[in-house]
Amino acid sequence: MKTIYYHGDILTMAEPQQAAGVLTDGRKVLAVGEPKTLQAQAPEAHLYDLGGCTMMPAFIDAHSHFTEVATGMLQVSLDEADSTAAVAEKVQKHIRENGIQPGEWVQAKDYDHNRMPGGKNPTLAQLGAMAPDNPLVIQHKSGHFGLFNAKALAAAGISAETPNPAGGTIGRDAAGLTGYLEENAYFAAVKKIPLPGAKTLLSVYRRAQEKYLSYGITTIQEGMLVKEMLPLYRLLLSSDLLKVDLVAYPDLETFPIVKEELWKNYKQYDRHIKIGGIKIFLDGSPQGRTAWMETPYAGETDYRGYGTMTDEQVKAAMQLAAQNEVQLLAHCNGDAAAAQFLRCLAETEKDYPVLKTLRPVMIHAQLLRPDQMDQAKQCGAFVSFFAAHVYHWGDVHIKNFGLERAQQISAAASAVKHGVPFTFHQDSPVIEPDMLETVWCAVNRKTKDGVLLGPDECIPVLEALRAVTINAARQYGEEAEKGSIAPGKQADLILLSENPLCIAPEKIRDIKVVKTIKAE
């Protein structure tokens, strides 16, 4: 059915930036202009009075983990837990209220050691007491490490004598294992956690989709598709559950399987799912002190975090992406990881110039330095900043890096200055997929303790909105279909309670998403 939207602010993210009315057929935007002109063009159209709400193109998620958002709905949240006793109370309440039987896995999320006294994790004995009859895994909010009790370690095949071919850290002390697993060691262990049944999975996938839609997001991402998740994707494809568009990025091991077995036309949307490219990660998290830095962390004489791949491995991944003409997403937080990515990209593009046209993406780029921006531009790289880190972990970054370096995190204004295309994301489930909070963070750059962190890196509201609409569409190579309100583009639209360009900048995160409209 054709619809004319009018009587409210309409931000197009195109030229002109504002419009008085929009005509759609439910699938595409047909015209933008004065309501009377649109009504003359389509007299049969339904008139939709915006009632003073602001219309925009729907938000586009530049990086998150859809399946983890879904399965996280089966886990107990430890958000704000600030002691071992508080963690134990939440875990035990979850076991009781959900009727979890002895031997069944118990999973917790949103744990942050920075909230614990002295930043100390619970001991292996304390983890055992929390769930004495169950394997327990507590996932850190960063997604880069976690805590396992003895039953979970045994189920993952880890003992005091276990070598660690996966890399990363298996925590040990003089008494033996501590239950702490970091980076590759952690990722290898969590793959061994059994998946829920099909009925449960479809239920939480549906709930996860509704969560994204409630935040005004109509294109979402699976930021690391591993082979253990392929049965889930077969289930999703057979269910026709998705209304949002989902772009998945398999890891190096999984990409050939997906390409050969799961999709023939994997680069095209099939039941709202497509493969966007390949995902690699080059380091860890800054709040967990595993981001790979060129200068030691504050208070350290030599510790700089560490990388997870050699230059040869990174270039091999880039060559694979170029040969298959797909995008490469590389997680890199620290400036040393950024340097490795840019160095390998420049070298690989000499033999594979097509790589530059495929828009390789630096995911997070938290500590990408302003002096590295020009190289990113020369290589054709997109940068997707986790801008909300400023608020959620800015105070931790000050402790970990000192104020001068911490002020450079998510350097969006430097990206504007150097002409580097950038987007914003929330890395959900690390935080909620709240685009308006992220826009607020990028514009105001206030930490939880109220510190103005890097005032020179604040950007105008319009630039921040572009980062989550038209720029994000460009990152996916979908700017001809999404990201702005213009004739011929998908009718992916949202209604907001206030106009973010008119409201006081400090109140942007109070704006509500009133309605999300996904193109049919």
Side-chain angles (χ1 to χ4, degrees):
M1 180 177 68
K2 291 182 180 179
T3 303
I4 296 171
Y5 298 94
Y6 73 106
H7 193 205
D9 291 345
I10 298 175
L11 308 181
T12 65
M13 296 296 113
E15 293 299 335
Q17 284 288 338
Q18 299 206 28
V22 176
L23 171 65
T24 82
D25 62 1
R27 189 176 65 89
K28 297 283 188 181
V29 174
L30 301 179
V32 176
E34 291 297 325
K36 289 183 178 180
T37 303
L38 298 178
Q39 196 168 7
Q41 181 178 337
E44 78 283 14
H46 168 69
L47 297 177
Y48 189 110
D49 188 331
L50 295 173
C53 288
T54 295
M55 173 174 274
M56 282 185 56
F59 296 134
I60 295 173
D61 163 37
H63 179 68
S64 72
H65 302 270
F66 179 53
T67 294
E68 289 185 35
V69 172
T71 56
M73 293 178 172
L74 302 172
Q75 302 168 6
V76 55
S77 175
L78 303 180
D79 204 21
E80 303 305 327
D82 57 3
S83 68
T84 296
V87 171
E89 181 181 357
K90 287 178 177 288
V91 167
Q92 291 163 1
K93 181 180 179 182
H94 177 71
I95 293 172
R96 290 194 307 271
E97 292 184 348
N98 291 276
I100 296 174
Q101 299 301 305
E104 294 181 350
W105 280 81
V106 178
Q107 297 184 65
K109 63 179 181 177
D110 299 331
Y111 170 77
D112 191 343
H113 70 290
N114 293 297
R115 297 194 190 104
M116 303 293 281
K120 300 293 185 181
N121 294 314
T123 66
L124 189 61
Q126 289 169 329
L127 293 168
M130 291 178 191
D133 300 319
N134 304 83
L136 167 68
V137 57
I138 295 175
Q139 301 174 25
H140 191 267
K141 200 168 180 68
S142 69
H144 282 259
F145 58 89
L147 306 173
F148 290 61
N149 70 1
K151 287 185 179 294
L153 289 172
I158 296 172
S159 69
E161 291 75 36
T162 301
N164 186 19
T169 297
I170 296 178
R172 294 183 173 88
D173 59 19
L177 292 170
T178 64
Y180 173 88
L181 302 182
E182 181 180 281
E183 300 300 340
N184 285 349
Y186 166 73
F187 297 136
V190 295
K191 289 179 180 180
K192 298 181 181 179
I193 300 173
L195 292 170
K199 183 177 180 180
T200 299
L201 278 168
L202 288 178
S203 174
V204 294
Y205 270 133
R206 186 173 287 106
R207 289 167 59 193
Q209 175 175 244
E210 291 305 317
K211 177 187 284 287
Y212 281 93
L213 286 167
S214 74
Y215 285 110
I217 301 169
T218 56
T219 299
I220 64 179
Q221 188 179 113
E222 185 72 80
M224 177 72 100
L225 176 60
V226 297
K227 66 177 183 180
E228 289 79 7
M229 291 161 58
L230 292 179
L232 283 60
Y233 269 70
R234 292 187 177 96
L235 181 66
L236 268 178
L237 282 166
S238 66
S239 70
D240 285 327
L241 175 149
L242 290 177
K243 295 180 287 187
V244 297
D245 292 336
L246 172 59
V247 188
Y249 289 82
D251 64 9
L252 286 168
E253 179 185 19
T254 311
F255 178 75
I257 302 173
V258 168
K259 178 184 173 184
E260 295 167 13
E261 298 181 16
L262 200 57
W263 279 286
K264 289 183 179 179
N265 299 315
Y266 62 91
K267 297 180 186 179
Q268 305 298 321
Y269 283 110
D270 179 2
R271 286 156 283 184
H272 288 286
I273 305 175
K274 77 172 182 179
I275 299 301
I278 298 168
K279 172 70 178 297
I280 60 175
F281 68 97
L282 307 186
D283 69 343
S285 77
Q287 70 270 39
R289 297 173 71 92
T290 55
W292 186 19
M293 303 299 300
E294 294 192 339
T295 304
Y297 282 80
E300 301 282 354
T301 56
D302 192 49
Y303 178 72
R304 295 171 169 82
Y306 52 88
T308 58
M309 298 176 71
T310 65
D311 280 13
E312 289 69 26
Q313 291 170 325
V314 174
K315 286 187 280 189
M318 291 175 172
Q319 290 167 11
L320 181 64
Q323 290 161 357
N324 287 276
E325 296 190 358
V326 295
Q327 191 176 51
L328 181 81
L329 266 58
H331 165 117
C332 43
N333 265 313
D335 57 353
Q340 181 187 39
F341 175 80
L342 294 170
R343 177 175 65 250
C344 292
L345 188 58
E347 292 177 10
T348 308
E349 286 178 351
K350 292 176 182 177
D351 295 322
Y352 297 90
V354 69
L355 197 59
K356 182 181 293 188
T357 70
L358 297 171
R359 309 179 190 190
V361 185
M362 301 176 68
I363 296 295
H364 308 324
Q366 290 281 32
L367 291 135
L368 177 72
R369 301 189 311 270
D371 63 280
Q372 294 175 313
M373 296 282 183
D374 285 336
Q375 188 177 359
K377 182 180 179 181
Q378 291 166 8
C379 291
F382 264 69
V383 176
S384 189
F385 292 117
F386 193 162
H389 250 260
V390 173
Y391 174 72
H392 289 276
W393 289 282
D395 302 301
V396 175
H397 293 336
I398 293 171
K399 294 177 183 177
N400 283 344
F401 302 108
L403 181 60
E404 183 178 353
R405 277 197 290 171
Q407 291 192 102
Q408 294 181 358
I409 66 171
S410 298
S414 293
V416 173
K417 179 181 177 181
H418 289 265
V420 176
F422 67 92
T423 62
F424 294 144
H425 65 266
Q426 295 83 33
D427 202 18
S428 300
V430 175
I431 62 172
E432 290 288 285
D434 188 341
M435 290 293 183
L436 289 166
E437 182 193 60
T438 288
V439 169
W440 173 84
C441 289
V443 170
N444 295 282
R445 292 187 66 94
K446 289 286 185 71
T447 73
K448 282 189 174 182
D449 287 347
V451 178
L452 177 57
L453 191 60
D456 291 344
E457 294 298 342
C458 293
I459 61 172
V461 177
L462 184 59
E463 288 286 359
L465 292 173
R466 284 176 175 144
V468 296
T469 54
I470 188 61
N471 287 6
R474 290 182 181 122
Q475 178 182 301
Y476 284 120
E478 296 185 349
E479 65 270 28
E481 294 85 33
K482 300 176 182 176
S484 64
I485 301 175
K489 292 202 174 185
Q490 288 188 18
D492 291 349
L493 307 165
I494 54 172
L495 307 186
L496 303 179
S497 61
E498 303 277 353
N499 186 335
L501 295 179
C502 296
I503 198 171
E506 62 270 17
K507 294 184 178 181
I508 288 173
R509 67 173 173 175
D510 298 328
I511 296 173
K512 305 299 182 186
V513 176
V514 176
K515 186 179 180 66
T516 303
I517 302 163
K518 179 69 183 85
E520 297 170 0

